Amino acid sequence: MSRPTDALLNRVLACSLGLLLFATSAMAGVCEAPQDNGIGGTGYQQQTLPPSDNGIGGTGALPGTERDGRPRDNGIGGTGVQPGLGKPEDKSIENGIGGTGLVAGNGMGGTGRRQLALFAGRVMFAKGSITARQPDGEPRYLKKDDPICEGDTLVVANDALAQLHMADAGRLMLHENSRVVIDTFRRPSQMDGTERFAITLVEGGLRAITGEIGKLHKENYAIATPVARIGIRGTDHEVFHVAQPSHGLAAGTYNRVLSGGTVVEAGGGKLALAPTQVGFVSPGASPTRLNGLPAMLGTTAADLLTTSRKSMPSVEDTTMDDVVQALRLSSNRVVIDFDGIEMVIAPAGSAYVGVNQLSKGHGTVLNSSIMDAALESAATLLDPLTNIPMAMADTDTGFNFFRSDAKLVHFRGALVDSAPVFWGLYAGGAEGAFQIDQETGEDHAVSAHHFIYSPGGATTMDVIQRINGTFTFDKIVGQSCLTDEHGRLGGRIHNMAVDVMFGGNPGVTRYDVHLTDAQQRDWHGSMNGFQSLTDFAVGQVQLQTSCSGKGCGVGHGTGSATGLLVGQQGKGLATGFGLTTQTGQTVNGVAVLSRP
């Protein structure tokens, strides 16, 4: 078989742009997109409520509707129609002398009526209590896919987390105990310089990845806190505001740059920050540079893991504070740009084990890869907000995976031999996951994708060859939810042991797994002999398989296994397997094992 070309890798990575593109259609009635009104006339929007009493003319504001000493939401001149009200059913509206009273993006002339708040984005992920509130409205409890509007004050409660996908394809992740105001969000149909993005972090923390507004017109993008203003230069950065000093953490605003750059302004001074740099502003002072972000200020991946662990039961709860710390974003992450959208590539030396269960009984494909710095043979693409894998390609073997809209139904982590290791399962979704055929270029549906990912954690061959002897990996650190031929999730691995011979000719000499699947069928897969670690990585360890219980068909068949060593001293093993009977019954999964 000929070596696959780099086009396979490029296509998998390029396809991932779809995850970061966001449609702004079909918005809920709480907010709307800017509308282009005609020249002159009423400029009113169709299907609005009938007016009652008219205002005093000029601005169109009723006495008492002022906010902060200014008429609310109206421009110069107008009709005298109440803000928020429009054309009655049985008569036309008499317009004022001039001015629309509307925000930018509407035509000349008009009613001076108040629009619905402008659509700013949508909730991508919500965990815990998160509310949004317009200045004159009631709190809205947010869930996935709910709209976010200009003027909203967002409140994220304790132990809660929110990810927002903005209408310009930017992203915001809001930490627990945070309050954020969407001051201005304008994204016209044509990016002509009138677009605006301005938010205020009143308290708490957030991470922001700029979208079109910040990339095209950086001067129109700003994040404010009670003590500082932050401008950007095409940026992925974190902002925290500590209102009161606590536990040794000084009050003020902290800003850490992950990619791009920011300019922090306060107290008459400016401070430019480059990637990995941290700025700090205390109340009333000019910004200064810190050596690093205080450890007490968490970051997105750690928050997501913690929240996910609380949200679903775990067979084994091995996650610890060290693992959460290890998940935190570090300064060595590689950010690349595809058509103006930033992606994160897993660092060199990262380990990835993947098991694709193809749809409609088309079998199981599995593989293990180590990421190379040049991206020539293998690359894993990470979600830029969570650092969780969403696409992977190995051009040496042709193995690849693309999440599409498949759901992350299982995600856990542990520290193994000083290396952070995470495992999980993607399944479901309207379109689900897919893989690309290396020869035909066609997409094949993947009903379930089991994975193990260790950022920078693969054991080097130098370490493996310096150690002599055969070691047994039989302690189960973690395992994914198992899947069967019908896509059912459930069951567990009862026992597992893998013997690995270290030294100059390393390989696997025994592989044994005993498990029960979601149908309560009892499975056993085994191999005794020798397979090199290279063959093990590409799934060439062949297993004798048996299945007992109702629904096992003939009850015997074959299977295969893949895996590689992780950790500084090779004390961890990441492995995946697929067991199949001759009559088509299957079970698939991954597991993380350790040795003394």
Side-chain angles (χ1 to χ4, degrees):
M1 184 179 297
S2 61
R3 170 188 169 94
T5 66
D6 290 340
L8 172 65
L9 174 62
N10 293 334
R11 184 179 172 196
V12 171
L13 297 181
C15 283
S16 61
L17 291 175
L19 291 175
L20 300 182
L21 298 178
F22 191 76
T24 61
S25 59
M27 292 163 233
V30 69
C31 51
E32 65 183 1
Q35 303 292 325
D36 296 325
N37 294 316
I39 299 174
T42 67
Y44 71 84
Q45 307 294 321
Q46 297 292 336
Q47 298 177 345
T48 52
L49 298 174
S52 51
D53 297 327
N54 289 332
I56 58 175
T59 66
L62 288 173
T65 64
E66 293 80 12
R67 179 175 62 188
D68 301 328
R70 302 188 309 272
R72 180 181 294 181
D73 295 327
N74 294 296
I76 301 172
T79 67
V81 176
Q82 288 189 77
L85 303 178
K87 180 181 178 180
E89 296 292 338
D90 56 353
K91 61 180 180 180
S92 62
I93 295 176
E94 297 178 357
N95 292 319
I97 295 175
T100 65
L102 295 177
V103 294
N106 294 287
M108 298 174 60
T111 68
R113 76 166 187 90
R114 180 186 171 211
Q115 278 188 305
L116 289 174
L118 294 181
F119 178 78
R122 203 175 294 277
V123 178
M124 180 178 168
F125 174 89
K127 178 62 181 176
S129 176
I130 302 142
T131 61
R133 182 173 184 171
Q134 285 285 296
D136 57 354
E138 296 297 322
R140 313 186 311 271
Y141 285 88
L142 298 178
K143 61 184 184 301
K144 180 175 168 45
D145 294 329
D146 281 351
I148 301 299
C149 313
E150 183 185 67
D152 274 345
T153 296
L154 307 175
V155 178
V156 184
N158 187 45
D159 287 334
L161 179 69
Q163 293 183 41
L164 311 180
H165 202 154
M166 307 308 289
D168 70 337
R171 291 197 188 188
L172 291 175
M173 171 171 268
L174 310 183
H175 293 253
E176 64 178 346
N177 300 316
S178 295
R179 182 183 299 268
V180 177
V181 180
I182 311 296
D183 298 304
T184 307
F185 190 94
R186 310 287 169 81
R187 200 284 186 198
S189 57
Q190 297 294 326
M191 303 290 279
D192 55 8
T194 63
E195 59 273 6
R196 297 287 186 275
F197 178 99
I199 64 174
T200 298
L201 174 64
V202 180
E203 60 181 333
L206 61 82
R207 179 178 170 192
I209 298 177
T210 56
E212 293 177 291
I213 295 174
K215 294 180 186 300
L216 296 178
H217 295 97
K218 299 173 178 59
E219 69 279 7
N220 295 342
Y221 182 106
I223 296 177
T225 73
V227 300
R229 180 187 183 277
I230 301 171
I232 56 95
R233 299 196 306 269
T235 306
D236 177 356
H237 67 128
E238 294 174 301
V239 184
F240 300 88
H241 183 72
V242 179
Q244 299 293 332
S246 63
H247 304 290
L249 192 63
T253 293
Y254 300 79
N255 179 216
R256 176 170 70 167
V257 176
L258 300 171
S259 70
T262 63
V263 177
V264 183
E265 301 181 41
K270 293 184 179 182
L271 176 65
L273 298 175
T276 76
Q277 293 183 334
V278 178
F280 172 68
V281 179
S282 60
S286 297
T288 59
R289 186 173 290 117
L290 302 180
N291 292 329
L293 191 70
M296 291 183 62
L297 298 177
T299 191
T300 62
D303 287 346
L304 182 61
L305 178 60
T306 302
T307 311
S308 298
R309 190 172 70 251
K310 293 175 182 177
S311 66
M312 62 182 72
S314 174
V315 174
E316 64 295 303
D317 194 3
T318 58
T319 304
M320 57 191 80
D321 291 341
D322 287 341
V323 180
V324 175
Q325 182 68 27
L327 251 180
R328 289 181 174 166
L329 295 174
S330 58
S331 60
N332 64 350
R333 65 193 232 122
V334 178
V335 180
I336 58 177
D337 190 287
F338 284 107
D339 294 335
I341 298 178
E342 290 181 346
M343 302 287 187
V344 178
I345 294 292
S350 296
Y352 194 92
V353 175
V355 176
N356 283 345
Q357 181 173 323
L358 304 183
S359 300
K360 300 179 181 179
H362 289 166
T364 300
V365 182
L366 37 76
N367 188 73
S368 299
S369 304
I370 299 176
M371 307 305 112
D372 63 297
L375 306 181
E376 291 180 352
S377 61
T380 298
L381 183 64
L382 309 176
D383 185 291
L385 277 177
T386 66
N387 274 5
I388 295 175
M390 62 181 183
M392 189 274 164
D394 187 322
T395 58
D396 285 336
T397 65
F399 180 88
N400 63 88
F401 162 76
F402 175 60
R403 188 190 73 185
S404 188
D405 68 348
K407 307 301 181 183
L408 183 65
V409 299
H410 187 132
F411 184 63
R412 300 288 184 272
L415 201 66
V416 181
D417 190 17
S418 300
V421 183
F422 310 100
W423 58 93
L425 170 67
Y426 283 109
E431 297 181 358
F434 66 88
Q435 72 172 24
I436 302 170
D437 187 284
Q438 60 175 325
E439 296 181 349
T440 67
E442 296 179 351
D443 298 344
H444 295 294
V446 174
S447 61
H449 175 75
H450 304 259
F451 68 90
I452 301 172
Y453 169 60
S454 179
T459 306
T460 65
M461 186 56 67
D462 287 344
V463 170
I464 296 171
Q465 292 180 339
R466 284 200 305 264
I467 301 173
N468 293 314
T470 298
F471 298 88
T472 299
F473 294 79
D474 57 3
K475 180 181 179 181
I476 300 177
V477 178
Q479 56 181 286
S480 68
C481 292
L482 304 177
T483 56
D484 65 15
E485 68 273 17
H486 301 295
R488 297 189 182 101
L489 279 60
R492 63 175 292 121
I493 300 171
H494 300 295
N495 300 291
M496 195 168 191
V498 181
D499 291 345
V500 178
M501 183 173 71
F502 287 67
N505 184 29
V508 176
T509 59
R510 178 173 69 105
Y511 195 104
D512 192 87
V513 58
H514 174 218
L515 60 90
T516 301
D517 67 10
Q519 301 182 54
Q520 298 302 307
R521 300 177 300 192
D522 194 70
W523 290 82
H524 184 253
S526 64
M527 182 280 289
N528 287 282
F530 176 85
Q531 289 287 340
S532 69
L533 287 188
T534 300
D535 289 341
F536 186 35
V538 297
Q540 294 303 309
V541 170
Q542 300 301 306
L543 307 177
Q544 295 296 316
T545 297
S546 65
C547 175
S548 61
K550 185 178 180 180
C552 276
V554 298
H556 58 85
T558 60
S560 57
T562 185
L564 44 74
L565 295 168
V566 295
Q568 294 180 359
Q569 299 299 318
K571 294 183 177 181
L573 179 70
T575 182
F577 58 86
L579 308 180
T580 305
T581 68
Q582 292 182 355
T583 45
Q585 291 76 28
T586 64
V587 63
N588 301 295
V590 295
V592 179
L593 308 177
S594 67
R595 66 174 176 89

